[in-house]
Amino acid sequence: MASNFLPFFLPSSHGALYGLYLPHTSTEVRGTLLWLPPFAEEANCARRHIVAAARECQAQGYASLLIDPFGTGESDGELVDASWDIWRSNIVEAASWLRAKQPGPLWLAGVRAGVLLAADVVSDVMPAGMVCWQPVSSGRAVLDSFLRMKLASEWALGEATKAMDILGKLREQLAAGASVEVAGYELSASMAAALAARTLSWAQQACERVACVEFRTHGETPSALQHTPAMARLCDGLSAAGMRVASLVCEAPAFWQAHEAVLTPRLGVKTATLLKGLRGVSA
Amino acid sequence: MKQEHVLDIRKELTIVLDDVLGLGGRAQSFSDETALLGALPELDSMAVVGIIAGIEEHFGIYLADDEIDGSSFATFGSLLHLVQDKLA
């Protein structure tokens, strides 16, 4: 039986990037998904959930490429040496590879902070559309959460540390141009600044279609699950900017922030169904 | 009217906790005395960060560095107090 996934190293202008390619396994080819992971520890937590979804998408006619940007995962380089522009370049090169490997409409599938990166390369990659899995609200929020990890880990140890003592020091370091180390991740001042400057500036993007997927678990019945106000606002904003928007709430735990989260079946199938609707049956 | 507003924030906060911690509705039965940090196994450091971000996003507020304190995560009541103060 032919292997239905291929781990490999993609040669890039910034060293070898670890990739996982999953070809479609359907007779009908619908397109490809280039998955952009969340930031730092969230990428670790989310990885197997993304792979599980990508596997489901194979049978739906979508090939997937998961890529570790420079300085993350198994790819070359250290995080401290990464820059936002290197990451953008990684994604553009990965998209070229994916297009050569499997023709068809290419979707940029961002997860959490990966959506910020996806939005930033839309004009270079010119995808058929974007998939936004639990998008972050802004790069500033991503950086805040990253720095707060240090604080929360002290609290977990029972230390009654004042937030200002920890966060203030980290922010001072960054302001002075020094890197900071949080939970084993060393982030440069320039990367922190670049991240903090990113917002989902959709209106300027030439992206026609956007599929937004939100994951919630609160105690009501699944049929009653609705978008959070933040997600509803985002979808409204995208529609107002002239994009075709399809959205979905899936009953699933916040897998990007839990190492042990149980895999939720059908997240890939549901995402693929959303894309089919956006493209129309002929696509 | 004031009372109604307070109850609403309580309900919204339980939704944030259920969502972030995957409690499947358990948070809806939390009382002010329900212990969180150190008592709830789901509440590790990533989850704490997730709750702060979840509160910010859900209520459309920003919690500055000097507004966040470990003691706010001691009980559901103390966390509720933090949000109520911020929205007051």
Side-chain angles (χ1 to χ4, degrees):
Chain A
M1 197 176 104
S3 166
N4 62 356
F5 65 95
L6 170 73
F8 71 109
F9 283 95
L10 174 71
S12 82
S13 336
H14 300 93
L17 305 178
Y18 179 77
L20 184 64
Y21 177 66
L22 301 94
H24 72 87
T25 55
S26 160
T27 49
E28 195 174 9
V29 189
R30 291 190 177 271
T32 57
L33 293 164
L34 175 55
W35 293 88
L36 284 65
F39 184 68
E41 196 56 20
E42 285 195 4
N44 257 344
C45 294
R47 183 171 188 87
R48 63 196 176 87
H49 300 266
I50 297 172
V51 171
R55 280 179 173 278
E56 290 180 358
C57 288
Q58 291 182 283
Q60 301 292 317
Y62 292 93
S64 279
L65 174 61
L66 279 68
I67 204 89
D68 289 344
F70 176 87
T72 71
E74 304 299 313
S75 291
D76 274 354
E78 299 296 330
L79 181 60
V80 70
D81 298 319
S83 73
W84 191 261
D85 283 338
I86 290 178
W87 282 2
R88 290 181 74 250
S89 153
N90 291 164
I91 300 308
V92 171
E93 291 182 54
S96 298
W97 183 91
L98 183 54
R99 280 197 165 111
K101 185 82 177 169
Q102 176 63 63
L106 181 148
W107 295 80
L108 288 172
V111 184
R112 303 282 295 150
V115 175
L116 293 173
L117 188 55
D120 230 12
V121 296
V122 159
S123 51
D124 301 287
V125 173
M126 300 297 283
M130 281 182 55
V131 178
C132 305
W133 263 27
Q134 196 74 25
V136 296
S137 52
S138 68
R140 166 68 61 187
V142 176
L143 180 63
D144 281 339
S145 287
F146 176 75
L147 299 178
R148 287 166 181 166
M149 279 285 293
K150 186 129 183 164
L151 179 68
S153 55
E154 298 246 338
W155 290 350
L157 293 172
E159 305 284 336
T161 318
K162 282 274 176 203
M164 275 304 280
D165 296 343
I166 298 275
L167 297 178
K169 194 171 159 214
L170 292 175
R171 291 192 204 277
E172 273 170 29
Q173 276 176 257
L174 289 175
S179 61
V180 293
E181 199 253 284
V182 175
Y185 296 91
E186 192 179 357
L187 188 68
S188 71
S190 56
M191 185 60 138
L195 186 60
R198 289 300 173 297
T199 55
L200 294 174
S201 48
W202 302 97
Q204 293 135 44
Q205 305 294 344
C207 187
E208 285 175 37
R209 303 172 190 83
V210 183
C212 293
V213 185
E214 190 171 30
F215 306 99
R216 305 195 66 185
T217 60
H218 76 79
E220 297 170 31
T221 55
S223 59
L225 279 177
Q226 294 181 334
H227 283 307
T228 56
M231 187 62 150
R233 273 195 305 276
L234 175 64
C235 292
D236 288 347
L238 300 178
S239 297
M243 281 168 249
R244 287 185 60 193
V245 182
S247 73
L248 178 70
V249 188
C250 292
E251 172 91 2
F255 56 80
W256 55 93
Q257 59 191 26
H259 292 100
E260 314 276 309
V262 177
L263 287 174
T264 305
R266 298 189 58 77
L267 296 184
V269 173
K270 288 175 180 173
T271 301
T273 304
L274 210 53
L275 301 190
K276 289 174 194 171
L278 274 171
R279 283 290 298 185
V281 282
S282 63
Chain B
M1 281 307 280
K2 181 73 182 168
Q3 185 64 19
E4 199 172 293
H5 186 56
V6 169
L7 285 175
D8 215 32
I9 296 172
R10 172 185 290 275
K11 166 85 178 149
E12 295 297 313
L13 184 58
T14 63
I15 291 173
V16 172
L17 291 181
D18 268 332
D19 260 348
V20 174
L21 302 177
L23 297 175
R26 265 196 290 146
Q28 289 173 43
S29 62
F30 282 3
S31 72
D32 281 6
E33 289 73 37
T34 303
L36 300 179
L37 201 62
L40 214 55
E42 291 88 350
L43 196 56
D44 62 8
S45 50
M46 278 203 87
V48 167
V49 171
I51 287 177
I52 300 173
I55 286 173
E56 289 183 331
E57 203 154 299
H58 197 91
F59 294 101
I61 56 180
Y62 179 73
L63 294 169
D65 294 348
D66 60 0
E67 292 173 311
I68 307 169
D69 198 326
S71 62
S72 296
F73 283 81
T75 62
F76 179 75
S78 58
L79 193 59
L80 180 61
H81 195 67
L82 171 75
V83 178
Q84 285 170 335
D85 274 1
K86 190 69 194 178
L87 292 172

